[in-house]
Amino acid sequence: MTTSSTTPQTETPAIPAPGRRTTPAPGVLLERFGLLILFVALIFVFAALRPETFMTAANFRSIAISQSVLAVAALALMLPLVGGRFDVSVGANLGLCSIVCAALMSRAELSLPLAVLGTLLVGGVIGALNGAIVAYLGVNSIIATLGVGTVIGGAVTAYTQGVPISTGLSPALATISTRLIVGLPVLLVIMLALAVVTWFVLTQTPFGRHLTAVGSNAAAARLTGLRVNRLVLLSFVGSGLLAAVAGVLQVGAQGNGDPTIGGLPFILPALAAVFLGATNWHPGTYNVPGTILGLFFLGTAISGLSLLGVDPWVTDVFNGGAVVLAIVFSAQLKRRRTGFLDIGN
């Protein structure tokens, strides 16, 4: 007579067959591409309300040109945010660099390439100053960059006395907003190229992965041997360089160096776009595709509202409301992903 013993069987989880893709849940797809869907719906709404003015090549070209400079500024804002810091001085740095670029051509009579190099140097130095104060002196990034930005604004006003610099500019730069490449505005092409470079640096290089680790948990990143202070410093330098490029492009888009641009109202759509970008595409993380999509969503909405004849104050309310809602949603997504709430130190 034989006896059989039964042993408890452990249930192994089902493993998808090789080569078979799992379909993302509808909620995940909506979370990733909700803003894109809303963007398409927005275009259809304004196309129905103002078909004769909204759905024109001239209007879309105008949106592309007007948003390209802000898109580069948004990339500048995003770099420190990936590392868990906040650069409030991006707008002021952009305004300073536009004046520097115009002054180097108009008053120092430098060629366009030399003026651009000088502008990049100034923007990079401002970024390095911000980074050194934040990374090595331990000052809160919002407070430090707010102070630096305020100093920059005062210096620009003192130098220009509030008068734009519009003479002696290189024709190649002053007319850049009217030129096309394969049917696309040159400003848009430059912005897209910078967006691709920024995406590559943040997602395909050790620097980008290390900076993301710092932004997720700086203490843990330090314990793994990452040079946190150096990474934070470099993120601010990159931010300063992108702000300088945006300043140069602003001269081309506007046709002069305007001392009144660069304040918080000017940079508000870019700020909203960065946080909107963190709510879609790769929810909970600052990412380049989401940021660009967020900015053009806002730009298209503002264009449509303007064509509908709304009062100017509606634009301010819309931009401000977009910033608040975007920060709330992105912060909640980041807390769900990382377990803590922090949008920048």
Side-chain angles (χ1 to χ4, degrees):
M1 181 176 179
T2 61
T3 59
S4 62
S5 60
T6 59
T7 59
Q9 299 295 317
T10 58
E11 184 177 342
T12 57
I15 301 175
R20 179 175 293 179
R21 296 181 179 178
T22 59
T23 303
V28 175
L29 290 175
L30 184 62
E31 190 176 68
R32 289 192 62 187
F33 304 112
L35 184 61
L36 179 60
I37 296 171
L38 189 60
F39 188 23
V40 174
L42 186 75
I43 292 176
F44 276 107
V45 169
F46 285 128
L49 294 175
R50 286 291 184 272
E52 70 284 354
T53 53
F54 183 80
M55 293 299 293
T56 62
N59 183 50
F60 287 118
R61 188 178 298 119
S62 174
I63 294 173
I65 292 172
S66 65
Q67 299 305 304
S68 292
V69 175
L70 284 175
V72 178
L75 296 175
L77 284 164
M78 191 179 68
L79 273 180
L81 280 169
V82 170
R85 305 300 188 272
F86 208 142
D87 189 353
V88 185
S89 70
V90 165
N93 199 2
L94 185 159
L96 169 66
C97 288
S98 70
I99 293 299
V100 168
C101 182
L104 288 176
M105 288 183 288
S106 176
R107 300 177 182 178
E109 299 182 352
L110 295 183
S111 64
L112 177 59
L114 289 178
V116 171
L117 285 175
T119 304
L120 290 173
L121 177 61
V122 171
V125 168
I126 296 297
L129 174 63
N130 284 330
I133 294 173
V134 172
Y136 292 99
L137 298 182
V139 180
N140 179 278
S141 62
I142 296 178
I143 295 174
T145 56
L146 180 61
V148 170
T150 302
V151 172
I152 290 173
V156 167
T157 301
Y159 178 74
T160 63
Q161 297 298 307
V163 179
I165 301 175
S166 56
T167 60
L169 304 182
S170 167
L173 180 60
T175 61
I176 194 172
S177 63
T178 63
R179 289 184 303 199
L180 305 175
I181 295 180
V182 294
L184 298 174
V186 172
L187 286 173
L188 178 65
V189 173
I190 294 173
M191 181 276 292
L192 291 175
L194 289 170
V196 170
V197 171
T198 305
W199 169 85
F200 182 84
V201 169
L202 288 177
T203 62
Q204 306 298 315
T205 67
F207 168 77
R209 291 190 289 271
H210 293 167
L211 185 64
T212 301
V214 171
S216 297
N217 191 326
R222 198 182 301 275
L223 289 174
T224 62
L226 295 182
R227 301 174 65 179
V228 172
N229 291 345
R230 183 171 179 268
L231 289 166
V232 171
L233 172 65
L234 290 176
S235 72
F236 276 96
V237 172
S239 176
L241 291 173
L242 285 170
V245 174
V248 174
L249 296 180
Q250 178 63 29
V251 175
Q254 194 167 339
N256 58 49
D258 188 351
T260 64
I261 66 150
L264 187 58
F266 177 83
I267 212 73
L268 204 58
L271 183 62
V274 175
F275 286 103
L276 273 176
T279 66
N280 71 98
W281 214 269
H282 295 290
T285 62
Y286 301 108
N287 63 90
V288 172
T291 296
I292 301 302
L293 175 62
L295 186 65
F296 278 91
F297 169 80
L298 293 172
T300 302
I302 294 300
S303 174
L305 290 173
S306 299
L307 292 176
L308 290 176
V310 300
D311 293 331
W313 62 265
V314 176
T315 299
D316 295 333
V317 172
F318 182 85
N319 284 331
V323 170
V324 174
L325 291 176
I327 289 177
V328 169
F329 284 124
S330 65
Q332 294 304 315
L333 285 169
K334 184 172 183 180
R335 180 167 62 181
R336 189 172 69 185
R337 184 176 63 90
T338 64
F340 66 93
L341 180 61
D342 183 18
I343 62 168
N345 295 315

